[in-house]
Amino acid sequence: MPNRPFFSFHFHKHSKTPLNVQLFEQLQTAILRGAFLQGDQLISLREMKAITGCSLETVKKAYDLLVQHEWVEALHGKGYFLTAKAREMRRSDRLPLADIPLFSLADSTPPPGDDLLRRLRSSFADSVNVLTEQAGQKKLRRIQAADAYCVHLNSRGIPAAPERLLLFNRSTSAFTFVVQQLMQKTDIVFVEEYHYPVFSSMLKHCGITAKAIPLDREGIDIEALEAATKAAPPGWLLINPHHHFPTGISYSRKRKEYLLDWAERNRVTLLENDHHGDLWFRRPSRTLYQLAVETGRSVPVYTLHSFSKTLGRDLQLGALVLPSQLTEEERERLRQLVSLTGAEPSLLILEAAVSLLNDPWFAEVYLAERRSLFFARWQCLLQEQPQALPAHARLLPIKGGLNTWIEWGTPSPHAAAQEERVITLLREEGLELAAGKSFRLPDEPEGLIRRPAVRFPLAPLDKRELTYWLQRLGAMLLR
């Protein structure tokens, strides 16, 4: 690959600024950082075309603008070379680091595709009239939405029934509801050592004690779980067994069956978070909820499901599936509480979701293409791993979801500092990743021994960007 340090391009195709002007402006920044230069010569038009994905005509126009503004001069038959003006600007280093376009992977949720956006626009336009309907008709629509959502959950492997389903304006609202309405302040909640930080913040905010349990390659470590249970028995276990956020691993069926046994023995309630559940590319084994129903266990299992990751970050919709053990009166009480707290989803959102769920295109085309896309990117990472990463680093295996997990080095009490060093070096090159420390309990004991790690999302990168940044990460791990 041509020399490409310190830079990543960002194009806004719907901007009023022409693409060649966007490229020209970013090339000015790149030149000041020393990117795309072989000595004082800018890489060729064709090399830049391959790197940016722009047409040859767009690249030529951007280079012509560099010539026009006296950043480079074109020498016939030789290429484009920095002018004295550009060389002086590079030496003076007047560009602050904050001005470098940053390719941020702090959020791994991909944007919705064009086909999905067109269908959503149509659904929203068709659904506006629900705002003027009578309360009885609106209630009927919510019942119909619950029916459609349950069909989707059942296809996912969560045997939900409408009477056991609570719909929320986002999955985090559903979790907040559980914490505030179902948990007690005296409860101890076991969480995985790496987890969704919003959840641990909510537990802390409500005065509930969270205890982190180490993970192995199959999920929560059994020995650590049993030892922690003897020390301080929990009331709840918060667990993300499929495409775990943020590591991407999926629990084995054997590990899930063990957890059900453990929960039954110790009278623990399970809260299963299906964070990336719809985005599998190798179908995982049964959900905890499904296993509990099939085996007739007495352990109560709640399941959180997020629809936002499947559709788009700003289309907020989530669900809480209640345990089969709850009575009709208990379910109705919880349903009324959801309504009183204002956590129900907008009818416009629900109608759009129902429209998609009832459309065969969604499952047969959209989800299939999404899964295929992420599988291809995962395969790309696997293929590049031997060349890109040093021997002491590894990718954790995944079966779906939006990200993978890269660990390196040996277990150390200084893992957080090692992560910060690598994150800082990559940020100087224009890439922002999330360190392992970001997904741990904020008040964990000092000197805890673990391997340093980063989350490496599969989106929104294409294969070329994946390869490049994996190589740059590998280079940072050798420094």
Side-chain angles (χ1 to χ4, degrees):
M1 175 172 289
N3 183 31
R4 192 190 171 190
F6 313 124
F7 205 81
S8 180
F9 287 104
H10 300 266
F11 297 112
H12 303 282
K13 295 185 178 179
H14 301 295
S15 170
K16 294 181 180 179
T17 304
L19 202 58
N20 65 294
V21 176
Q22 292 184 50
L23 178 55
F24 157 68
E25 292 173 346
Q26 294 186 57
L27 281 174
Q28 289 178 303
T29 304
I31 288 170
L32 291 178
R33 298 301 303 172
F36 313 119
L37 296 173
Q38 297 160 353
D40 286 335
Q41 184 177 9
L42 196 57
I43 64 174
S44 71
L45 295 171
R46 294 193 179 278
E47 288 175 318
M48 187 61 72
K49 173 182 179 294
I51 288 170
T52 61
C54 297
S55 68
L56 197 61
E57 180 184 9
T58 297
V59 175
K60 178 65 165 60
K61 287 181 178 180
Y63 275 40
D64 287 344
L65 283 172
L66 288 172
V67 172
Q68 181 182 330
H69 287 77
E70 298 180 351
W71 280 68
V72 299
E73 54 182 339
L75 300 182
H76 183 69
K78 293 184 178 180
Y80 293 84
F81 294 81
L82 296 187
T83 61
K85 169 185 174 181
R87 291 196 299 271
E88 176 58 32
M89 291 183 70
R90 282 199 62 207
R91 278 194 295 270
S92 61
D93 195 23
R94 284 185 278 174
L95 182 70
L97 183 63
D99 287 347
I100 302 172
L102 193 63
F103 202 93
S104 177
L105 297 183
D107 181 3
S108 62
T109 307
D114 291 339
D115 283 349
L116 179 63
L117 285 175
R118 281 194 292 270
R119 290 167 192 263
L120 285 173
R121 288 191 191 101
S122 175
S123 296
F124 283 131
D126 294 342
S127 302
V128 167
N129 290 335
V130 305
L131 300 176
T132 61
E133 290 179 345
Q134 297 297 316
Q137 183 61 30
K138 290 180 179 179
K139 182 177 180 180
L140 178 61
R141 287 187 180 276
R142 291 191 182 276
I143 292 172
Q144 293 170 339
D147 289 338
Y149 208 120
C150 283
V151 171
H152 176 69
L153 289 174
N154 274 269
S155 69
R156 163 71 190 96
I158 304 169
E163 65 272 15
R164 297 200 306 271
L165 185 73
L166 300 179
L167 292 173
F168 289 84
N169 53 25
R170 61 183 64 193
S171 59
T172 50
S173 296
F175 178 75
T176 301
F177 180 82
V178 171
V179 174
Q180 294 179 342
Q181 304 298 334
L182 298 173
M183 292 182 181
Q184 305 294 324
K185 285 195 174 182
T186 55
D187 281 337
I188 295 175
V189 179
F190 282 2
V191 300
E192 296 148 318
E193 63 173 333
Y194 294 103
H195 57 273
Y196 192 34
V198 174
F199 287 177
S200 60
S201 297
M202 176 54 63
L203 290 170
K204 184 175 182 180
H205 175 75
C206 292
I208 295 173
T209 301
K211 167 72 176 175
I213 311 298
L215 294 167
D216 60 26
R217 298 188 73 154
E218 288 189 61
I220 273 188
D221 182 88
I222 290 175
E223 290 186 7
L225 178 67
E226 294 288 3
T229 304
K230 289 180 181 178
W236 292 74
L237 170 63
L238 171 58
I239 186 172
N240 188 181
H242 300 108
H243 325 140
H244 173 267
F245 181 92
T247 68
I249 65 172
S250 288
Y251 283 41
S252 66
R253 174 163 180 161
K254 182 179 179 182
R255 185 62 53 89
K256 283 183 268 191
E257 289 175 341
Y258 184 91
L259 288 174
L260 288 172
D261 288 338
W262 167 84
E264 202 164 36
R265 280 189 282 112
N266 294 282
R267 298 183 179 180
V268 176
T269 300
L270 299 181
L271 179 55
E272 177 182 31
N273 180 24
D274 200 42
H275 194 77
H276 288 155
D278 295 321
L279 298 174
W280 50 267
F281 39 76
R282 288 196 181 97
R283 184 181 285 276
S285 60
R286 283 170 165 73
T287 61
L288 284 168
Y289 195 98
Q290 186 175 14
L291 282 173
V293 170
E294 289 175 349
T295 56
R297 295 177 187 273
S298 60
V299 55
V301 182
Y302 293 80
T303 291
L304 288 169
H305 183 270
S306 171
F307 210 40
S308 311
K309 312 299 184 299
T310 308
L311 299 176
R313 180 177 57 250
D314 298 317
L315 192 64
Q316 301 286 3
L317 180 59
L320 177 67
V321 187
L322 303 175
S324 57
Q325 293 91 339
L326 292 188
T327 65
E328 183 179 349
E329 290 76 16
E330 289 172 319
R331 295 196 303 266
E332 182 58 30
R333 181 182 68 85
L334 294 176
R335 189 168 288 107
Q336 291 181 14
L337 281 173
V338 175
S339 179
L340 289 172
T341 57
E344 287 185 307
S346 159
L347 266 178
L348 284 175
I349 296 290
L350 276 182
E351 286 294 295
V354 168
S355 175
L356 287 173
L357 291 172
N358 289 333
D359 187 344
W361 168 88
F362 179 71
E364 297 171 10
V365 178
Y366 180 75
L367 280 181
E369 288 179 349
R370 272 308 214 216
R371 292 164 180 161
S372 177
L373 172 68
F374 296 130
F375 179 67
R377 290 175 179 175
W378 164 240
Q379 291 294 103
C380 174
L381 286 178
L382 280 182
Q383 183 178 346
E384 290 297 323
Q385 178 182 0
Q387 294 79 32
L389 296 180
H392 62 75
R394 66 169 182 170
L395 284 167
L396 295 192
I398 61 175
K399 296 180 179 179
L402 298 175
N403 48 264
T404 183
W405 191 251
I406 300 176
E407 296 179 335
W408 69 89
T410 56
S412 163
H414 309 295
Q418 295 176 42
E419 290 168 352
E420 184 58 32
R421 180 186 66 83
V422 170
I423 294 294
T424 300
L425 289 171
L426 284 171
R427 192 178 293 119
E428 291 175 358
E429 296 209 357
L431 177 69
E432 183 178 47
L433 288 177
K437 176 68 175 176
S438 307
F439 305 101
R440 300 180 69 88
L441 288 179
D443 53 355
E444 70 178 14
E446 288 291 332
L448 199 66
I449 296 176
R450 63 179 180 89
R451 297 182 78 189
V454 293
R455 186 186 65 165
F456 200 90
L458 306 178
L461 300 177
D462 58 26
K463 288 185 179 180
R464 177 173 43 83
E465 292 284 355
L466 271 177
T467 300
Y468 175 74
W469 287 118
L470 189 67
Q471 291 173 348
R472 296 310 305 150
L473 172 60
M476 297 301 103
L477 300 183
L478 292 172
R479 291 175 61 174

